[in-house]
Amino acid sequence: MIKIDLTEYKESKIYFQLFDNIIKEKKISKEIFLQDNDINPSTYRRCKKEECNVGTKIIIKLCELLNYKYLDNNQIDELEQLLNNIYSDMYYKIYKNYDYYVNEIDKYINDNTIIYPVLLLFKCYLLLSTQKNEEYQKNNVLPLYNDLKQYEYFYNESCLKIYHLLYLSFEEEILEKYYIKKYEDASAYFILSFRALNNKKYSECLYFSEKAKEKSIEDYNIQRIIAINNNILASYMELENYEDCLTLSEIQLKVLSSINSDNKILIRGLNNKYMICLLYLKKYDILNKYINENESFDYTKLGIYMTCKYHYNKKEYDELYDSLIKEQNEKHIIFIQQVNELLTNKTKKSLKNIKEIGINVFLYKFFENYAFS
């Protein structure tokens, strides 16, 4: 895990380059500004190079002159605790205090606190951790990350570790050193695995997923292991490794059940992978029993159930088809008829119609292989 340490921000040296840039943005002469406010330019330059006793007095005076709030050592300690709590909760995917954290960070920012580049960094990290869709990240988080780049020099070693998580998340091209770097927690490896998955580099995704999983196990981070397993399962499906996908999806379902997960989208997607693997592996008896114990239907599950019955027991299939036609709504009936046509006659037109209705991509791939076999 990453430990946020703000000790350097209790010293004055780290703030001088920040004030250089603040004064530059105001388009005023630094030399004249310092002299007009009884700050010796030579002393200022010396404090910028090395920690000096007078440095803190200069920083406090600059904060007063330029309307920034200076934080004393006790306040820095309080902020450090807040940032560690934020990191820990986001790392372990604990969101009950999320709104509180956002409000606290905004308070510091609105107070014009001089450590504001660090505050903006953690606001960006919080927004990234919401795991909202790609469009949200692009519109709301990416602009903030791009703004943070100008403050990279201001981040100490521990803050840079958070900055690098954002770098890995948002940069289109990543320098090679960040691929081979050893990271302290699972977050970076998870991001690299997710990038690889999105770029269809499935073996690379599995490599980084295993790295992330090792770190998560060390940190007893169950929620992150679940997220990592999702990347692994998606890669297994794409690589047509149905045996390993079946084994892991079964484990994942048991874990979600043991922690009483209420993430319906995650559970539904996992159920689909589990059933489709059984379909590919022709384990119709297990699949038939599993579906009968979980009777709630969407298009994907209907397609799986019908395919299973068709290969498992033709008589039961005919009975199922008749009952579905009687019991389902009009939209489902159209889908049921198209699946039946595909299973019984392997018609290409029915495959096209099924695709237009919309089903799980891996089930469609199964139907595609079946139709052209």
Side-chain angles (χ1 to χ4, degrees):
M1 287 182 63
I2 297 170
K3 175 72 168 69
I4 307 302
D5 183 354
L6 299 185
T7 303
E8 287 175 65
Y9 298 99
K10 293 179 179 179
E11 299 176 349
S12 62
K13 179 185 170 185
I14 199 166
Y15 295 101
F16 280 92
Q17 188 174 347
L18 180 62
F19 271 113
D20 277 355
N21 292 333
I22 290 171
I23 293 169
K24 183 178 180 181
E25 286 174 4
K26 293 183 178 295
K27 296 181 180 180
I28 56 179
S29 167
K30 184 173 70 175
E31 295 289 315
I32 294 173
F33 173 78
L34 294 174
Q35 289 172 352
D36 286 350
N37 290 284
D38 298 322
I39 299 172
N40 187 302
S42 297
T43 304
Y44 180 96
R45 286 191 291 271
R46 189 174 76 252
C47 292
K48 185 177 173 181
K49 292 179 181 179
E50 58 186 32
E51 189 65 27
C52 303
N53 291 332
V54 73
T56 300
K57 292 180 180 179
I58 294 174
I59 295 302
I60 291 173
K61 186 167 187 176
L62 288 171
C63 284
E64 292 172 352
L65 290 168
L66 296 168
N67 196 31
Y68 286 95
K69 181 179 178 181
Y70 177 79
L71 298 183
D72 62 29
N73 289 353
N74 289 333
Q75 291 170 315
I76 291 287
D77 287 338
E78 290 175 4
L79 178 60
E80 181 182 278
Q81 184 61 57
L82 174 66
L83 299 186
N84 274 299
N85 289 342
I86 289 172
Y87 164 75
S88 179
D89 278 6
M90 296 305 101
Y91 181 55
Y92 282 95
K93 295 182 173 292
I94 300 169
Y95 299 111
K96 63 181 180 181
N97 292 323
Y98 182 84
D99 290 340
Y100 165 75
Y101 291 145
V102 171
N103 289 335
E104 287 300 300
I105 291 294
D106 281 343
K107 284 179 187 177
Y108 277 105
I109 293 172
N110 293 335
D111 283 345
N112 224 24
T113 311
I114 190 53
I115 202 172
Y116 69 90
V118 173
L119 301 168
L120 293 173
L121 173 69
F122 274 82
K123 181 164 186 177
C124 191
Y125 176 63
L126 278 166
L127 291 172
L128 174 68
S129 300
T130 59
Q131 297 183 316
K132 292 191 177 179
N133 61 40
E134 188 175 339
E135 185 178 353
Y136 175 88
Q137 299 286 350
K138 184 177 180 180
N139 293 334
N140 296 278
V141 192
L142 180 58
L144 181 53
Y145 165 70
N146 286 332
D147 189 48
L148 287 176
K149 292 179 185 179
Q150 65 182 302
Y151 303 118
E152 185 177 357
Y153 69 88
F154 186 72
Y155 298 134
N156 69 2
E157 184 179 353
S158 64
C159 290
L160 275 174
K161 291 171 184 176
I162 302 298
Y163 179 80
H164 289 152
L165 296 179
L166 303 174
Y167 169 87
L168 294 175
S169 298
F170 293 115
E171 291 295 334
E172 290 186 12
E173 298 292 333
I174 296 176
L175 295 174
E176 184 180 356
K177 67 179 182 179
Y178 293 108
Y179 279 107
I180 61 177
K181 180 180 173 68
K182 291 185 178 180
Y183 295 100
E184 291 183 17
D185 76 351
S187 302
Y189 292 121
F190 175 78
I191 294 167
L192 289 170
S193 78
F194 190 72
R195 285 182 70 112
L197 180 63
N198 285 343
N199 291 325
K200 300 182 179 180
K201 298 179 179 180
Y202 305 117
S203 295
E204 185 177 298
C205 173
L206 292 175
Y207 170 77
F208 285 119
S209 293
E210 287 304 319
K211 290 278 190 182
K213 205 166 182 177
E214 287 173 12
K215 289 290 184 181
S216 296
I217 291 170
E218 287 176 13
D219 295 332
Y220 301 100
N221 195 337
I222 300 298
Q223 292 294 342
R224 192 158 291 275
I225 291 171
I226 290 170
I228 294 162
N229 281 345
N230 289 334
N231 289 356
I232 294 173
L233 287 166
S235 293
Y236 280 160
M237 291 295 289
E238 294 288 355
L239 294 169
E240 300 181 4
N241 184 352
Y242 302 118
E243 286 283 1
D244 286 342
C245 188
L246 178 65
T247 301
L248 182 56
S249 60
E250 191 170 13
I251 293 170
Q252 186 91 320
L253 283 166
K254 288 178 180 177
V255 170
L256 290 173
S257 176
S258 70
I259 63 173
N260 297 316
S261 173
D262 60 354
N263 190 329
K264 293 180 180 178
I265 295 175
L266 175 60
I267 293 170
R268 183 172 69 244
L270 192 54
N271 268 313
N272 286 341
K273 287 185 179 70
Y274 178 72
M275 291 186 292
I276 292 169
C277 285
L278 288 171
L279 206 56
Y280 271 105
L281 296 170
K282 300 181 179 181
K283 297 187 177 186
Y284 303 122
D285 53 340
I286 299 173
L287 180 54
N288 184 60
K289 183 175 183 294
Y290 185 78
I291 294 176
N292 284 332
E293 291 174 352
N294 298 271
E295 289 190 1
S296 60
F297 293 116
D298 55 20
Y299 288 131
T300 295
K301 195 167 183 181
L302 269 172
I304 294 170
Y305 195 20
M306 290 176 68
T307 306
C308 174
K309 283 291 188 185
Y310 183 80
H311 291 284
Y312 180 65
N313 187 310
K314 291 292 196 301
K315 182 181 178 181
E316 288 186 13
Y317 173 79
D318 291 337
E319 292 173 354
L320 172 67
Y321 179 75
D322 290 340
S323 67
L324 288 174
I325 291 294
K326 291 176 183 177
E327 296 170 7
Q328 298 296 318
N329 60 43
E330 187 177 342
K331 288 184 178 179
H332 278 170
I333 288 172
I334 294 171
F335 176 75
I336 291 162
Q337 290 171 334
Q338 294 302 319
V339 173
N340 179 65
E341 182 66 21
L342 176 67
L343 292 172
T344 54
N345 298 315
K346 295 188 177 183
T347 55
K348 308 300 186 288
K349 184 178 179 181
S350 60
L351 182 67
K352 181 183 177 182
N353 291 336
I354 289 169
K355 185 176 184 180
E356 289 175 354
I357 291 171
I359 58 170
N360 179 283
V361 63
F362 297 110
L363 179 60
Y364 177 78
K365 185 178 177 182
F366 177 91
F367 282 151
E368 195 174 37
N369 292 337
Y370 179 82
F372 288 93
S373 62

